[in-house]
Amino acid sequence: MIDSTPLIELNEVSKGFGKSVILRQIDITVRRGETLVLIGESGCGKSLTTKMMAGLMRPSVGHVLWNGRDVQMMSDLERNKERLKIGYLFQSGALFDSMSVYDNIAFGLRQNTTLPRARIKEIVSQRIHDIGLKDDVCRKMPSELSGGMRKRIALARALALMPEIVLYDEPTTGLDPIMTDVINELIVQTKHKSQVTSIVVTHEMSTVRKVADRVIMFYPLSRLQPGEPQIIFEGTPEEAFASTDPRVLSFVHGDASQRIEEVFAA
């Protein structure tokens, strides 16, 4: 159930590297219980935004708030404790290649809790079942897994510490349409079973249609006029697919005609 309580807030956040500015004066509020989907062209700062939401990067300008508190004002100890409430599914899965599936999922529990071995085993088994796999997968190494299975194991690892928030960075990249739908369904089920708040970065419109409560679209700064907002759309999936903004409409419907004209006119 979605409520209006702000769980994560980005207030006038900008981020750059040297002279290159990627994000400019971004304002986003993530509400408790919702699934927020971030879309936009490659390189416009979506993944960077989620890393700042998770406290993995600091903004160059502006503030990130967790439950109304400025992350930069927290002590390292407090920040690290609060970060454990956030699960992060990286684009590549980012499994430890030298560890078995079991050890990958158990890693966060071993590093951040004092739970006994038997309880860790129970949690790992439960997370394996949550993603629709059987316990015998625990003995496998990441190199023995398909791309879809690696994504599912990475999700199990992200859920092991029972986070309040799960961030998904391109969770279906490189997957076939069937496995894409499997991952989309897991995102939906995870939200309802675990009562988590979800933030999803994707280029896949089937993911937008299936999982999103709200959609935000970014636009590359290089293609904006000075002072023009970088977030060019915020609304429901239905509103996105019916948008009158040609930039939004061409993206969600995969119509490259405008971009092709720009390329050949350059």
Side-chain angles (χ1 to χ4, degrees):
M1 182 177 178
I2 302 171
D3 66 38
S4 58
T5 306
L7 197 56
I8 299 177
E9 297 169 83
L10 270 59
N11 294 338
E12 297 187 349
V13 163
S14 298
K15 182 65 177 179
F17 301 93
K19 294 182 179 180
S20 177
V21 178
I22 309 299
L23 292 168
R24 183 181 67 198
Q25 293 184 315
I26 298 296
D27 290 300
I28 296 176
T29 297
V30 182
R31 303 169 188 136
R32 186 179 298 276
E34 77 170 331
T35 298
L36 174 65
V37 175
L38 309 181
I39 63 173
E41 297 178 25
S42 297
C44 63
K46 305 180 301 298
S47 296
L48 193 57
T49 297
T50 61
K51 286 181 172 65
M52 288 190 290
M53 286 178 172
L56 300 177
M57 284 187 174
R58 293 188 176 188
S60 304
V61 178
H63 302 275
V64 178
L65 281 65
W66 292 342
N67 287 307
R69 299 190 58 203
D70 193 325
V71 175
Q72 290 181 243
M73 299 302 291
M74 296 178 180
S75 67
D76 290 343
L77 182 64
E78 187 175 16
R79 189 184 307 111
N80 290 337
K81 181 180 178 181
E82 290 297 310
R83 191 182 286 125
L84 294 178
K85 298 177 182 178
I86 302 174
Y88 203 115
L89 180 61
F90 293 91
Q91 183 173 338
S92 63
L95 297 178
F96 298 114
D97 290 334
S98 61
M99 294 183 182
S100 68
V101 164
Y102 181 92
D103 289 334
N104 265 280
I105 299 172
F107 182 81
L109 295 165
R110 291 169 172 166
Q111 292 293 312
N112 298 291
T113 76
T114 57
L115 292 172
R117 184 178 301 176
R119 179 56 183 147
I120 291 176
K121 185 176 180 180
E122 288 176 6
I123 293 172
V124 171
S125 179
Q126 182 59 58
R127 295 296 167 262
I128 287 291
H129 294 162
D130 286 345
I131 61 170
L133 296 175
K134 296 181 180 180
D135 286 333
D136 57 6
V137 76
C138 288
R139 297 189 296 271
K140 294 182 179 293
M141 300 298 288
S143 60
E144 301 177 76
L145 305 177
S146 67
M149 288 184 71
R150 288 174 69 95
K151 295 272 187 172
R152 291 159 79 180
I153 297 303
L155 177 56
R157 183 179 64 182
L159 296 174
L161 287 165
M162 292 173 284
E164 293 180 9
I165 304 162
V166 180
L167 296 126
Y168 302 85
D169 188 4
E170 297 284 2
T172 60
T173 294
L175 302 182
D176 62 64
I178 298 300
M179 188 51 63
T180 291
D181 197 47
V182 168
I183 298 297
N184 290 342
E185 185 61 32
L186 284 172
I187 293 172
V188 173
Q189 290 183 14
T190 297
K191 173 186 175 178
H192 294 302
K193 285 183 180 179
S194 304
Q195 299 297 302
V196 300
T197 301
S198 306
I199 303 157
V200 183
V201 171
T202 189
H203 293 106
E204 179 57 62
M205 291 303 108
S206 66
T207 299
V208 174
R209 291 184 185 276
K210 187 156 190 172
V211 312
D213 295 310
R214 186 163 55 103
V215 180
I216 286 177
M217 181 171 171
F218 292 73
Y219 208 65
L221 281 178
S222 60
R223 302 181 66 215
L224 291 170
Q225 297 298 318
E228 192 176 1
Q230 193 170 3
I231 292 176
I232 62 170
F233 174 83
E234 180 174 353
T236 65
E238 294 76 17
E239 290 168 341
F241 285 98
S243 175
T244 57
D245 186 327
R247 299 169 299 181
V248 178
L249 208 58
S250 63
F251 185 85
V252 300
H253 289 289
D255 180 0
S257 56
Q258 180 183 357
R259 179 52 64 86
I260 291 170
E261 288 179 7
E262 293 174 0
V263 169
F264 283 100

